[in-house]
Amino acid sequence: MRRDERNLRLRVTRLDEPDLGKLIEWVLGIAEARHRAWVSGEADPYRLPPPDDLASARH
């Protein structure tokens, strides 16, 4: 049994190109959550500072 355990390894599949649809959906989801928090006057859910051009803007 020990011999079989040594032969078991985690296999990782790496794509040559990322799934752009999922990446775009992920980025837009983060941007939407940050915008909703900013509009409602709440803290950024990701604890990121606002963009430079919004740092002085009021919501």
Side-chain angles (χ1 to χ4, degrees):
M1 186 75 166
R2 289 280 183 204
R3 208 174 327 149
D4 292 338
E5 288 177 10
R6 278 188 281 148
N7 291 331
L8 295 176
R9 293 186 178 167
L10 178 64
R11 292 184 183 190
V12 177
T13 302
R14 184 174 229 174
L15 301 175
D16 289 334
E17 294 187 25
D19 183 350
L20 289 180
K22 286 187 180 186
L23 180 60
I24 291 169
E25 183 179 339
W26 181 67
V27 169
L28 290 177
I30 291 172
E32 182 180 9
R34 292 185 74 202
H35 180 258
R36 273 189 268 124
W38 183 75
V39 167
S40 63
E42 298 172 4
D44 188 282
Y46 298 97
R47 297 183 182 147
L48 298 171
D52 292 336
D53 50 335
L54 284 181
S56 63
R58 293 188 173 252
H59 47 281

